[in-house]
C-alpha cells in the first residue's frame, strides 16, 4: 500500500510482494548448513525465487491487473514549501510518515490478529509426520500436495527450515520439500487474509493461482533433475 501510494509501479510492488517473504538471507544461511547439497539447495532456492518474483511483476504490468485492487489507493505527494528549513521539512516528513503508518495499521490490525491466531493454531497442531507420509518420492501428487498443504500454515522462513531438514532426512525429494517451503513462506492463509484487504477476490485468486503453478513447476523440474 505504501509503494502504490508513493507512485511505485504496480508490477514492481508485486515483485517485492512475492520476493520479500519468499527469499530470505536467514533461510539461505540455514539451508547452507544442510550437508554437501546445501549449496545446491540454496542456489536453486534463490534463483527460482528470483525468477518467480520478477515474472510475477512483469505479468502484473503486462496485463494491468492493478484494476482489480479492492482499494483505491491515491498516489500521495508531500509538498513542502521550498523556503522551509531542513528542520521543518524533516518534521513534515516524519508527521506524514506517522499518519500514514498509523492509518495503515488501523485498517489492517483485525486481519493481522485473525491471521496470527489461525497460523498459530495450524502450526501447533500439524505434526511433521503428516508431511512425510504424503510427500514421498513414490507419490505423483506429492508436489501439488506440498504446495496446497502449506497454505494454512503461518511461519517465518527460519522457522520452516527445520521442517525442510526433517523432510529431506525422511527421503522427501528436494523439489517437493522446497515447494512446501515456498508455499508456507509466501501464500499462507493468514497472509492472504491480510492481502484481501487490498486485493479484490479475483486478483487474490490470480495471485495465489500464479504462485501455486510456479511453485509446482519448480518442484517437478527439480525432482526430475
Amino acid at each position: 500500500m505504501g509503494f502504490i501510494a508513493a507512485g511505485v509501479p504496480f508490477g514492481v510492488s508485486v515483485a517485492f510482494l512475492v520476493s520479500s517473504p519468499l527469499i530470505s538471507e536467514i533461510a539461505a544461511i540455514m539451508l547452507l548448513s544442510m550437508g554437501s547439497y546445501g549449496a545446491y539447495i540454496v542456489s536453486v532456492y534463490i534463483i527460482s525465487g528470483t525468477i518467480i518474483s520478477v515474472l510475477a511483476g512483469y505479468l502484473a504490468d503486462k496485463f494491468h491487473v492493478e484494476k482489480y485492487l479492492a482499494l483505491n489507493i491515491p498516489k500521495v505527494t508531500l509538498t513542502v514549501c521550498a523556503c522551509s528549513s531542513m528542520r521543518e521539512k524533516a518534521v513534515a516528513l516524519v508527521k506524514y510518515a506517522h499518519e500514514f503508518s498509523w492509518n495503515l495499521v488501523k485498517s489492517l490490525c483485525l486481519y493481522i490478529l485473525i491471521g496470527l491466531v489461525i497460523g498459530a493454531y495450524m502450526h501447533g497442531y500439524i505434526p511433521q509426520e503428516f508431511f512425510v507420509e504424503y510427500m514421498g518420492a513414490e507419490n505423483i501428487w506429492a508436489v501439488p500436495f506440498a504446495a496446497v498443504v502449506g497454505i494454512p500454515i503461518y511461519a517465518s522462513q527460519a522457522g520452516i527450515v527445520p521442517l525442510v531438514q526433517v523432510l529431506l532426512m525422511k527421503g522427501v525429494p528436494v523439489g517437493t520439500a522446497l515447494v512446501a517451503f515456498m508455499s508456507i513462506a509466501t501464500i499462507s492463509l493468514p497472509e492472504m487474509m491480510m492481502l484481501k484487504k487490498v486485493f479484490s477476490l479475483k486478483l487474490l485468486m490470480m495471485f495465489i493461482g500464479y504462485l501455486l503453478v510456479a511453485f509446482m513447476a519448480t518442484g517437478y523440474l527439480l525432482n526430475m533433475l
Side-chain angles (χ1 to χ4, degrees), residues 67-149:
K67 60 188 175 185
Y68 299 116
L69 285 170
L71 291 179
N72 179 23
I73 305 173
K75 293 180 173 60
V76 178
T77 54
L78 181 63
T79 56
V80 181
C81 179
C83 60
S84 301
S85 65
M86 290 297 295
R87 181 179 178 279
E88 290 173 333
K89 291 179 180 179
V91 170
L93 287 169
V94 171
K95 182 179 179 181
Y96 163 74
H98 176 268
E99 291 177 352
F100 181 86
S101 301
W102 177 240
N103 291 332
L104 181 62
V105 170
K106 285 194 296 183
S107 67
L108 292 176
C109 63
L110 179 61
Y111 294 86
I112 294 173
L113 289 174
I114 293 175
L116 288 175
V117 170
I118 293 175
Y121 178 82
M122 299 300 295
H123 185 63
Y125 284 91
I126 297 183
Q128 293 177 339
E129 292 75 15
F130 173 80
F131 296 97
V132 174
E133 181 179 356
Y134 293 100
M135 293 185 189
E138 67 283 352
N139 184 5
I140 192 175
W141 301 107
V143 171
F145 175 79
V148 173
V149 79

Side-chain angles (χ1 to χ4, degrees), residues 20 22-32 42 45-46 157:
S20 180
L22 182 57
I23 305 173
S24 164
E25 67 282 2
I26 298 175
I29 292 172
M30 294 179 68
L31 289 170
L32 273 175
V42 170
Y45 163 58
I46 295 176
Q157 296 95 329

Side-chain angles (χ1 to χ4, degrees), residues 10-19 22 48-65 186 203 206-207 210-211 214-215:
F10 187 66
V12 178
S13 303
V14 170
F16 175 83
L17 180 65
V18 176
S19 66
L22 182 57
S48 60
T50 302
I51 293 173
I52 290 170
S53 303
V54 172
L55 184 59
Y58 171 77
L59 292 175
D61 273 345
K62 180 176 178 60
F63 295 102
H64 304 287
V65 296
T186 313
L203 181 55
M206 291 168 61
F207 181 76
Y210 165 78
L211 291 178
F215 293 165

